[in-house]
Protein backbone atom coordinates (compact mmCIF):
# COMPACT_ATOMS: atom_id res chain seq x y z
CA UNK A 1 0.00 0.00 0.00
CA UNK A 2 1.38 3.39 -0.94
CA UNK A 3 1.11 5.54 2.16
CA UNK A 4 0.95 9.08 0.99
CA UNK A 5 0.87 10.36 -2.54
CA UNK A 6 -1.58 13.12 -2.11
CA UNK A 7 -0.47 16.73 -1.90
CA UNK A 8 -3.70 18.33 -0.92
CA UNK A 9 -2.06 21.21 0.93
CA UNK A 10 0.11 22.18 -1.99
CA UNK A 11 -2.61 21.96 -4.55
CA UNK A 12 -4.47 24.98 -3.25
CA UNK A 13 -1.37 26.92 -2.35
CA UNK A 14 -0.80 29.94 -4.59
CA UNK A 15 2.31 29.67 -6.73
CA UNK A 16 4.87 32.28 -5.83
CA UNK A 17 8.60 32.64 -6.23
CA UNK A 18 8.84 29.79 -3.74
CA UNK A 19 10.93 26.81 -4.47
CA UNK A 20 8.81 23.72 -4.06
CA UNK A 21 10.40 20.44 -3.20
CA UNK A 22 9.08 16.93 -3.74
CA UNK A 23 10.87 13.76 -2.69
CA UNK A 24 9.95 10.21 -3.66
CA UNK A 25 11.65 6.96 -2.78
CA UNK A 26 11.03 4.32 -5.46
CA UNK A 27 12.13 0.69 -5.37
CA UNK A 28 13.75 -1.46 -8.00
CA UNK A 29 12.09 -4.61 -9.29
CA UNK A 30 13.12 -8.00 -10.59
CA UNK A 31 11.24 -9.53 -13.52
CA UNK A 32 10.15 -13.17 -13.47
CA UNK A 33 8.81 -12.86 -17.03
CA UNK A 34 11.23 -10.63 -18.88
CA UNK A 35 10.62 -7.59 -21.03
CA UNK A 36 13.09 -8.07 -23.85
CA UNK A 37 12.65 -6.18 -27.10
CA UNK A 38 10.75 -2.98 -27.78
CA UNK A 39 9.53 -0.75 -30.58
CA UNK A 40 9.40 3.04 -30.88
CA UNK A 41 8.12 5.10 -27.92
CA UNK A 42 9.16 2.48 -25.41
CA UNK A 43 6.45 -0.03 -26.30
CA UNK A 44 7.36 -3.58 -25.29
CA UNK A 45 7.41 -6.52 -27.71
CA UNK A 46 5.89 -8.72 -25.01
CA UNK A 47 4.19 -8.54 -21.63
CA UNK A 48 6.29 -8.91 -18.47
CA UNK A 49 5.81 -9.56 -14.75
CA UNK A 50 7.97 -8.48 -11.84
CA UNK A 51 8.34 -8.43 -8.09
CA UNK A 52 8.87 -5.00 -6.57
CA UNK A 53 11.72 -5.01 -4.09
CA UNK A 54 11.59 -3.50 -0.61
CA UNK A 55 15.07 -2.23 0.19
CA UNK A 56 16.90 -1.56 -3.09
CA UNK A 57 15.67 1.86 -4.04
CA UNK A 58 16.38 5.34 -5.38
CA UNK A 59 15.41 8.51 -3.55
CA UNK A 60 14.93 11.52 -5.79
CA UNK A 61 14.11 15.09 -4.84
CA UNK A 62 12.84 17.57 -7.35
CA UNK A 63 13.02 21.27 -6.53
CA UNK A 64 11.36 23.65 -8.93
CA UNK A 65 10.70 27.33 -9.27
CA UNK A 66 9.13 29.46 -11.95
CA UNK A 67 11.51 30.63 -14.66
CA UNK A 68 11.95 34.34 -15.23
CA UNK A 69 11.85 33.94 -18.95
CA UNK A 70 10.02 31.10 -20.67
CA UNK A 71 12.11 29.25 -23.21
CA UNK A 72 11.54 26.22 -25.32
CA UNK A 73 14.40 24.21 -23.86
CA UNK A 74 14.16 22.56 -20.46
CA UNK A 75 16.32 24.09 -17.71
CA UNK A 76 17.55 21.55 -15.20
CA UNK A 77 20.44 20.22 -13.15
CA UNK A 78 20.92 16.64 -12.06
CA UNK A 79 22.94 15.65 -8.99
CA UNK A 80 23.70 12.00 -8.27
CA UNK A 81 24.97 11.41 -4.73
CA UNK A 82 25.65 15.13 -4.50
CA UNK A 83 27.64 15.47 -7.73
CA UNK A 84 26.71 16.71 -11.19
CA UNK A 85 26.73 13.57 -13.30
CA UNK A 86 27.06 14.35 -16.98
CA UNK A 87 26.06 10.90 -18.18
CA UNK A 88 22.80 10.95 -16.18
CA UNK A 89 22.27 14.58 -17.11
CA UNK A 90 22.48 13.75 -20.79
CA UNK A 91 20.04 10.87 -20.51
CA UNK A 92 17.66 12.92 -18.34
CA UNK A 93 17.80 15.83 -20.80
CA UNK A 94 16.72 13.53 -23.58
CA UNK A 95 13.88 12.06 -21.51
CA UNK A 96 12.66 15.44 -20.24
CA UNK A 97 12.74 16.99 -23.69
CA UNK A 98 10.72 14.05 -25.03
CA UNK A 99 8.27 14.53 -22.17
CA UNK A 100 7.56 18.19 -22.95
CA UNK A 101 4.90 17.12 -25.44
CA UNK A 102 3.10 15.31 -22.58
CA UNK A 103 4.04 17.72 -19.78
CA UNK A 104 4.26 21.17 -21.40
CA UNK A 105 4.65 22.93 -18.00
CA UNK A 106 8.20 21.53 -17.75
CA UNK A 107 9.70 24.38 -19.76
CA UNK A 108 8.14 27.00 -17.43
CA UNK A 109 10.32 26.02 -14.46
CA UNK A 110 13.90 25.63 -13.34
CA UNK A 111 14.30 22.07 -12.17
CA UNK A 112 16.91 20.56 -9.87
CA UNK A 113 16.99 16.79 -9.31
CA UNK A 114 19.00 15.20 -6.50
CA UNK A 115 19.11 11.46 -6.61
CA UNK A 116 20.68 8.68 -4.55
CA UNK A 117 20.65 4.90 -4.83
CA UNK A 118 20.97 2.85 -1.67
CA UNK A 119 22.64 -0.02 -3.53
CA UNK A 120 25.96 -0.10 -5.38
CA UNK A 121 26.12 0.33 -9.12
CA UNK A 122 26.22 -2.80 -11.36
CA UNK A 123 24.99 -5.21 -8.72
CA UNK A 124 22.28 -6.88 -10.75
CA UNK A 125 19.70 -4.47 -9.37
CA UNK A 126 17.99 -2.48 -12.08
CA UNK A 127 18.91 1.09 -11.15
CA UNK A 128 17.08 2.50 -14.15
CA UNK A 129 13.84 0.96 -12.82
CA UNK A 130 14.07 2.69 -9.44
CA UNK A 131 15.60 5.94 -10.68
CA UNK A 132 13.20 6.48 -13.58
CA UNK A 133 10.26 5.55 -11.43
CA UNK A 134 11.32 8.02 -8.69
CA UNK A 135 11.84 10.70 -11.34
CA UNK A 136 8.43 10.06 -12.88
CA UNK A 137 6.68 10.17 -9.50
CA UNK A 138 8.30 13.55 -8.80
CA UNK A 139 7.20 14.86 -12.19
CA UNK A 140 3.61 13.67 -11.79
CA UNK A 141 3.47 15.23 -8.30
CA UNK A 142 4.79 18.46 -9.79
CA UNK A 143 2.18 18.27 -12.52
CA UNK A 144 -0.60 18.10 -9.91
CA UNK A 145 0.84 21.09 -8.08
CA UNK A 146 1.40 23.37 -11.04
CA UNK A 147 -1.87 22.45 -12.72
CA UNK A 148 -3.68 22.67 -9.35
CA UNK A 149 -5.45 19.48 -10.26
CA UNK A 150 -5.50 16.48 -7.99
CA UNK A 151 -6.19 13.07 -9.45
CA UNK A 152 -7.44 9.97 -7.72
CA UNK A 153 -4.87 7.45 -6.55
CA UNK A 154 -5.36 5.02 -9.46
CA UNK A 155 -4.99 7.77 -12.04
CA UNK A 156 -1.94 9.20 -10.27
CA UNK A 157 -0.01 5.92 -10.31
CA UNK A 158 -1.12 5.03 -13.83
CA UNK A 159 0.16 8.40 -15.03
CA UNK A 160 3.42 7.86 -13.09
CA UNK A 161 3.81 4.43 -14.67
CA UNK A 162 3.20 5.90 -18.13
CA UNK A 163 5.81 8.64 -17.56
CA UNK A 164 8.30 6.21 -15.97
CA UNK A 165 8.02 3.97 -19.03
CA UNK A 166 9.27 6.79 -21.22
CA UNK A 167 12.49 6.81 -19.17
CA UNK A 168 12.93 3.06 -18.85
CA UNK A 169 10.50 0.26 -19.65
CA UNK A 170 11.04 -1.69 -16.44
CA UNK A 171 10.52 1.51 -14.41
CA UNK A 172 6.83 1.46 -15.38
CA UNK A 173 6.44 -1.54 -13.03
CA UNK A 174 8.24 0.08 -10.06
CA UNK A 175 5.46 2.55 -9.26
CA UNK A 176 3.51 -0.29 -7.63
CA UNK A 177 4.38 -2.65 -4.81
CA UNK A 178 3.95 -6.43 -4.85
CA UNK A 179 3.57 -8.23 -8.16
CA UNK A 180 3.18 -6.10 -11.25
CA UNK A 181 2.58 -6.78 -14.95
CA UNK A 182 3.27 -4.49 -17.89
CA UNK A 183 2.00 -4.87 -21.43
CA UNK A 184 -1.25 -5.38 -23.25
CA UNK A 185 -2.19 -8.75 -21.80
CA UNK A 186 -5.56 -10.24 -22.85
CA UNK A 187 -6.33 -11.80 -19.45
CA UNK A 188 -5.33 -8.77 -17.30
CA UNK A 189 -7.78 -5.90 -17.07
CA UNK A 190 -6.89 -3.05 -17.32
CA UNK A 191 -3.63 -3.68 -19.13
CA UNK A 192 -1.69 -1.73 -21.69
CA UNK A 193 1.68 -1.44 -23.40
CA UNK A 194 1.72 2.13 -22.09
CA UNK A 195 1.56 1.48 -18.34
CA UNK A 196 1.87 -1.26 -15.76
CA UNK A 197 -0.87 -2.92 -13.70
CA UNK A 198 -0.79 -4.17 -10.13
CA UNK A 199 -1.61 -7.87 -9.81
CA UNK A 200 -3.59 -7.96 -6.61
CA UNK A 201 -2.92 -10.81 -4.26
CA UNK A 202 -5.06 -12.01 -1.39
CA UNK A 203 -3.73 -10.85 2.00
CA UNK A 204 -2.99 -14.41 3.04
CA UNK A 205 -1.00 -15.17 -0.13
CA UNK A 206 2.44 -16.58 0.55
CA UNK A 207 3.70 -14.22 -2.13
CA UNK A 208 3.47 -11.36 0.34
CA UNK A 209 6.41 -13.09 2.05
CA UNK A 210 8.61 -13.55 -0.99
CA UNK A 211 12.32 -12.97 -0.38
CA UNK A 212 15.15 -12.13 -2.79
CA UNK A 213 18.85 -12.62 -2.12
CA UNK A 214 20.96 -10.93 -4.78
CA UNK A 215 24.27 -12.72 -5.26
CA UNK A 216 26.90 -10.36 -6.67
CA UNK A 217 28.99 -12.51 -8.98
CA UNK A 218 30.57 -9.48 -10.63
CA UNK A 219 30.13 -5.75 -10.27
CA UNK A 220 31.99 -4.97 -13.48
CA UNK A 221 30.25 -2.61 -15.91
CA UNK A 222 28.08 -4.74 -18.25
CA UNK A 223 29.28 -5.15 -21.83
CA UNK A 224 25.75 -4.88 -23.18
CA UNK A 225 23.30 -2.45 -21.54
CA UNK A 226 19.63 -3.43 -21.40
CA UNK A 227 18.81 -0.70 -23.88
CA UNK A 228 21.39 -2.08 -26.34
CA UNK A 229 20.06 -5.59 -25.66
CA UNK A 230 16.50 -4.58 -26.59
CA UNK A 231 17.82 -3.16 -29.85
CA UNK A 232 19.45 -6.51 -30.65
CA UNK A 233 15.99 -8.10 -30.63
CA UNK A 234 14.80 -6.03 -33.61
CA UNK A 235 16.51 -8.30 -36.09
CA UNK A 236 16.94 -11.36 -33.88
CA UNK A 237 16.31 -14.66 -35.71
CA UNK A 238 14.26 -15.93 -32.72
CA UNK A 239 12.20 -12.77 -32.26
CA UNK A 240 8.78 -14.22 -33.14
CA UNK A 241 9.44 -17.35 -31.10
CA UNK A 242 10.49 -15.22 -28.12
CA UNK A 243 7.29 -13.15 -28.23
CA UNK A 244 5.17 -16.31 -28.34
CA UNK A 245 7.19 -17.87 -25.50
CA UNK A 246 6.92 -14.78 -23.26
CA UNK A 247 3.17 -14.50 -23.80
CA UNK A 248 2.65 -18.16 -22.99
CA UNK A 249 4.93 -17.89 -19.92
CA UNK A 250 3.04 -14.87 -18.70
CA UNK A 251 -0.31 -16.64 -18.86
CA UNK A 252 1.06 -19.72 -17.07
CA UNK A 253 2.88 -17.57 -14.50
CA UNK A 254 -0.22 -15.57 -13.55
CA UNK A 255 -2.28 -18.79 -13.27
CA UNK A 256 0.47 -20.41 -11.19
CA UNK A 257 0.63 -17.39 -8.85
CA UNK A 258 -3.13 -17.43 -8.40
CA UNK A 259 -3.05 -21.17 -7.67
CA UNK A 260 0.06 -21.10 -5.45
CA UNK A 261 1.83 -23.52 -7.78
CA UNK A 262 5.39 -22.75 -6.67
CA UNK A 263 7.02 -25.49 -8.69
CA UNK A 264 5.61 -24.06 -11.90
CA UNK A 265 6.45 -20.47 -10.90
CA UNK A 266 10.09 -21.45 -10.35
CA UNK A 267 10.21 -23.49 -13.54
CA UNK A 268 8.95 -20.59 -15.66
CA UNK A 269 11.11 -17.97 -13.91
CA UNK A 270 14.28 -20.01 -14.42
CA UNK A 271 13.38 -20.74 -18.03
CA UNK A 272 12.80 -17.01 -18.60
CA UNK A 273 16.20 -16.11 -17.16
CA UNK A 274 17.99 -18.70 -19.27
CA UNK A 275 15.97 -17.74 -22.37
CA UNK A 276 16.99 -14.10 -21.91
CA UNK A 277 20.65 -15.14 -21.88
CA UNK A 278 20.15 -17.56 -24.76
CA UNK A 279 18.73 -14.64 -26.76
CA UNK A 280 21.67 -12.48 -25.76
CA UNK A 281 24.18 -15.16 -26.74
CA UNK A 282 22.53 -15.70 -30.12
CA UNK A 283 22.27 -11.98 -30.90
CA UNK A 284 24.51 -10.36 -33.44
CA UNK A 285 26.85 -9.12 -32.06
CA UNK A 286 26.53 -11.65 -29.26
CA UNK A 287 26.29 -10.76 -25.59
CA UNK A 288 27.75 -13.37 -23.29
CA UNK A 289 27.08 -11.87 -19.86
CA UNK A 290 27.08 -14.97 -17.65
CA UNK A 291 30.26 -15.79 -15.71
CA UNK A 292 31.53 -19.22 -14.68
CA UNK A 293 30.43 -18.48 -11.10
CA UNK A 294 26.89 -17.71 -12.33
CA UNK A 295 26.72 -21.29 -13.61
CA UNK A 296 28.21 -22.69 -10.39
CA UNK A 297 25.47 -20.93 -8.43
CA UNK A 298 22.74 -22.21 -10.77
CA UNK A 299 23.96 -25.78 -10.33
CA UNK A 300 24.21 -25.40 -6.57
CA UNK A 301 20.67 -23.95 -6.35
CA UNK A 302 19.25 -26.84 -8.39
CA UNK A 303 21.07 -29.39 -6.24
CA UNK A 304 19.94 -27.75 -3.01
CA UNK A 305 16.33 -27.62 -4.22
CA UNK A 306 16.43 -31.31 -5.16
CA UNK A 307 17.91 -32.30 -1.81
CA UNK A 308 15.93 -29.96 0.46
CA UNK A 309 12.58 -29.93 -1.36
CA UNK A 310 12.31 -26.15 -0.69
CA UNK A 311 10.38 -23.77 -2.97
CA UNK A 312 13.32 -21.69 -4.09
CA UNK A 313 14.39 -20.67 -7.56
CA UNK A 314 16.69 -18.27 -9.34
CA UNK A 315 16.30 -15.51 -11.86
CA UNK A 316 18.87 -13.34 -13.64
CA UNK A 317 18.67 -9.98 -15.36
CA UNK A 318 20.86 -8.93 -18.27
CA UNK A 319 24.06 -9.45 -16.29
CA UNK A 320 25.94 -12.16 -14.38
CA UNK A 321 24.35 -11.73 -10.94
CA UNK A 322 21.72 -14.06 -9.54
CA UNK A 323 18.53 -13.34 -7.66
CA UNK A 324 17.63 -16.23 -5.37
CA UNK A 325 13.90 -16.15 -4.70
CA UNK A 326 12.43 -18.04 -1.74
CA UNK A 327 9.81 -17.68 0.98
CA UNK A 328 10.26 -16.12 4.40
CA UNK A 329 9.15 -19.26 6.25
CA UNK A 330 12.16 -21.09 4.75
CA UNK A 331 14.71 -18.39 5.56
CA UNK A 332 16.32 -20.33 8.39
CA UNK A 333 17.25 -23.09 5.97
CA UNK A 334 18.14 -20.86 3.04
CA UNK A 335 20.53 -18.48 4.82
CA UNK A 336 23.12 -21.10 5.85
CA UNK A 337 23.03 -22.48 2.29
CA UNK A 338 23.69 -18.99 0.91
CA UNK A 339 26.46 -18.27 3.38
CA UNK A 340 28.22 -21.62 3.19
CA UNK A 341 27.67 -22.72 -0.40
CA UNK A 342 26.88 -19.66 -2.54
CA UNK A 343 28.89 -16.73 -1.20
CA UNK A 344 32.24 -18.34 -2.20
CA UNK A 345 31.09 -17.76 -5.81
CA UNK A 346 30.34 -14.08 -5.13
CA UNK A 347 32.72 -11.18 -5.68
CA UNK A 348 34.22 -10.46 -2.25
CA UNK A 349 31.46 -12.67 -0.81
CA UNK A 350 28.90 -9.91 -1.48
CA UNK A 351 25.15 -10.42 -1.46
CA UNK A 352 22.14 -8.20 -0.82
CA UNK A 353 19.25 -9.22 1.37
CA UNK A 354 15.96 -8.01 -0.06
CA UNK A 355 12.29 -8.96 -0.22
CA UNK A 356 9.01 -8.12 -1.92
CA UNK A 357 8.05 -4.54 -1.07
CA UNK A 358 5.10 -2.20 -0.82
CA UNK A 359 6.06 0.21 -3.57
CA UNK A 360 7.13 3.85 -3.62
CA UNK A 361 6.79 6.32 -0.83
CA UNK A 362 6.36 10.08 -0.86
CA UNK A 363 8.91 11.38 1.65
CA UNK A 364 8.23 15.07 1.28
CA UNK A 365 5.96 16.92 1.54
CA UNK A 366 4.92 14.56 4.33
CA UNK A 367 1.20 14.64 3.97
CA UNK A 368 -0.92 11.70 4.92
CA UNK A 369 -4.39 11.37 3.48
C1 LIG B 1 16.37 -7.78 -18.59
O1 LIG B 1 13.89 -1.39 -18.61
O2 LIG B 1 16.39 -1.51 -18.39
O3 LIG B 1 15.76 -6.26 -16.85
O4 LIG B 1 13.52 0.33 -21.43
O5 LIG B 1 15.78 0.38 -22.46
O6 LIG B 1 15.44 1.24 -20.13
P1 LIG B 1 14.98 0.26 -21.19
O7 LIG B 1 15.35 -1.19 -20.64
P2 LIG B 1 15.19 -1.78 -19.20
O8 LIG B 1 15.15 -3.34 -19.56
C2 LIG B 1 15.01 -4.30 -18.56
C3 LIG B 1 15.28 -5.65 -19.12
C4 LIG B 1 15.35 -6.74 -18.10
C5 LIG B 1 14.02 -7.47 -17.97
C6 LIG B 1 12.92 -6.78 -17.23
O9 LIG B 1 13.16 -6.02 -16.29
O10 LIG B 1 11.75 -7.07 -17.57
Amino acid sequence: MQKSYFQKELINKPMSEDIINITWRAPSNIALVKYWGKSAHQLPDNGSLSITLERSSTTTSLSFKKRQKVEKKISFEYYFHGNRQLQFEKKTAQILNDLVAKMPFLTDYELVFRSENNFPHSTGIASSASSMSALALCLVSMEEIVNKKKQNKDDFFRRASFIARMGSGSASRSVYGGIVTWGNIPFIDPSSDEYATLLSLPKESRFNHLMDIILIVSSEEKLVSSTAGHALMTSHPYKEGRIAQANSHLKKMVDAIRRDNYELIGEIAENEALSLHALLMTSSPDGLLLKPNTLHIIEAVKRFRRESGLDLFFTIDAGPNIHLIYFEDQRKLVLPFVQNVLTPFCEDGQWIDDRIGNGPELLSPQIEF
Side-chain angles (χ1 to χ4, degrees):
M1 256 312 285
Q2 279 89 5
K3 268 193 266 156
S4 48
Y5 73 100
F6 195 65
Q7 312 126 48
K8 206 167 162 191
E9 282 176 15
L10 284 173
I11 281 161
N12 296 321
K13 191 178 169 209
M15 286 297 293
S16 62
E17 296 310 300
D18 288 351
I19 296 179
I20 294 181
N21 183 281
I22 299 158
T23 306
W24 277 94
R25 189 189 78 84
S28 185
N29 68 71
I30 175 69
L32 299 188
V33 177
K34 311 285 182 187
Y35 144 55
W36 200 239
K38 62 178 167 182
S39 55
H41 310 295
Q42 292 281 99
L43 297 171
D45 286 349
N46 61 272
S48 56
L49 177 145
S50 60
I51 302 165
T52 298
L53 299 179
E54 169 67 39
R55 293 176 67 198
S56 309
S57 61
T58 301
T59 301
T60 299
S61 299
L62 165 60
S63 305
F64 59 96
K65 78 168 189 201
K66 199 96 184 164
R67 252 165 137 178
Q68 301 294 348
K69 206 169 116 219
V70 173
E71 286 176 50
K72 271 199 189 140
K73 242 183 134 209
I74 297 247
S75 158
F76 83 102
E77 287 171 17
Y78 194 103
Y79 294 85
F80 185 64
H81 288 263
N83 299 314
R84 289 286 285 272
Q85 240 273 8
L86 289 182
Q87 207 189 332
F88 284 147
E89 212 157 283
K90 217 170 124 199
K91 184 162 189 209
T92 312
Q94 201 186 337
I95 292 163
L96 292 176
N97 282 309
D98 287 350
L99 281 175
V100 173
K102 297 178 173 67
M103 298 181 134
F105 62 87
L106 286 176
T107 48
D108 299 345
Y109 293 85
E110 279 170 30
L111 314 170
V112 179
F113 297 95
R114 289 171 214 280
S115 189
E116 291 194 357
N117 290 348
N118 68 352
F119 52 87
H121 197 55
S122 292
T123 48
I125 299 172
S127 61
S128 66
S130 53
S131 61
M132 289 303 155
S133 146
L135 181 107
L137 287 156
C138 288
L139 292 177
V140 177
S141 287
M142 175 181 175
E143 181 174 51
E144 287 199 335
I145 294 165
V146 301
N147 291 342
K148 300 186 173 58
K149 212 166 148 203
K150 170 184 73 61
Q151 347 178 36
N152 69 41
K153 189 177 160 182
D154 287 351
D155 291 345
F156 178 90
F157 285 105
R158 189 166 298 160
R159 175 90 175 141
S161 177
F162 173 90
I163 297 294
R165 187 197 97 237
M166 306 304 288
S168 178
S170 53
S172 67
R173 298 184 308 238
S174 268
V175 307
Y176 298 109
I179 298 202
V180 185
T181 62
W182 168 41
N184 187 359
I185 304 163
F187 52 94
I188 303 257
D189 185 33
S191 73
S192 165
D193 286 345
E194 301 202 324
Y195 56 80
T197 304
L198 177 70
L199 191 79
S200 39
L201 291 172
K203 242 192 171 154
E204 61 282 4
S205 168
R206 205 169 161 223
F207 264 89
N208 297 314
H209 304 279
L210 210 65
M211 310 297 284
D212 179 10
I213 284 180
I214 305 151
L215 300 148
I216 320 280
V217 171
S218 167
S219 60
E220 265 172 36
E221 194 69 46
K222 286 189 292 183
L223 289 174
V224 185
S225 71
S226 294
T227 306
H230 291 296
L232 292 172
M233 286 309 289
T234 316
S235 54
H236 200 290
Y238 304 149
K239 180 175 171 171
E240 295 314 315
R242 166 58 193 160
I243 295 172
Q245 178 200 41
N247 290 336
S248 147
H249 276 167
L250 195 54
K251 169 105 186 67
K252 287 186 192 152
M253 178 64 89
V254 172
D255 285 349
I257 290 172
R258 288 187 172 142
R259 287 172 201 192
D260 292 322
N261 184 343
Y262 306 114
E263 205 178 316
L264 187 56
I265 291 162
E267 205 177 293
I268 299 168
E270 291 187 355
N271 193 287
E272 274 290 306
L274 297 177
S275 297
L276 168 71
H277 284 272
L279 290 164
L280 269 157
M281 285 185 231
T282 48
S283 289
S284 176
D286 64 280
L288 176 52
L289 302 182
L290 301 179
K291 301 276 183 201
N293 279 349
T294 316
L295 301 184
H296 285 307
I297 293 178
I298 292 176
E299 284 189 338
V301 169
K302 288 188 169 195
R303 200 177 318 119
F304 180 65
R305 179 172 54 219
R306 239 184 355 256
E307 288 165 4
S308 66
L310 298 184
D311 302 315
L312 84 176
F313 59 90
F314 67 85
T315 183
I316 322 172
D317 257 352
N321 303 321
I322 298 230
H323 290 247
L324 182 67
I325 314 286
Y326 66 101
F327 291 93
E328 199 172 9
D329 54 7
Q330 298 178 339
R331 187 168 167 84
K332 273 203 182 126
L333 297 166
V334 173
L335 277 188
F337 163 65
V338 167
Q339 273 152 344
N340 300 331
V341 182
L342 301 186
T343 53
F345 298 118
C346 296
E347 186 181 271
D348 303 324
Q350 291 180 91
W351 55 284
I352 293 174
D353 200 15
D354 214 330
R355 57 172 297 140
I356 193 165
N358 294 328
E361 223 184 321
L362 179 68
L363 302 181
S364 120
Q366 282 178 329
I367 301 162
E368 293 288 333
F369 62 100

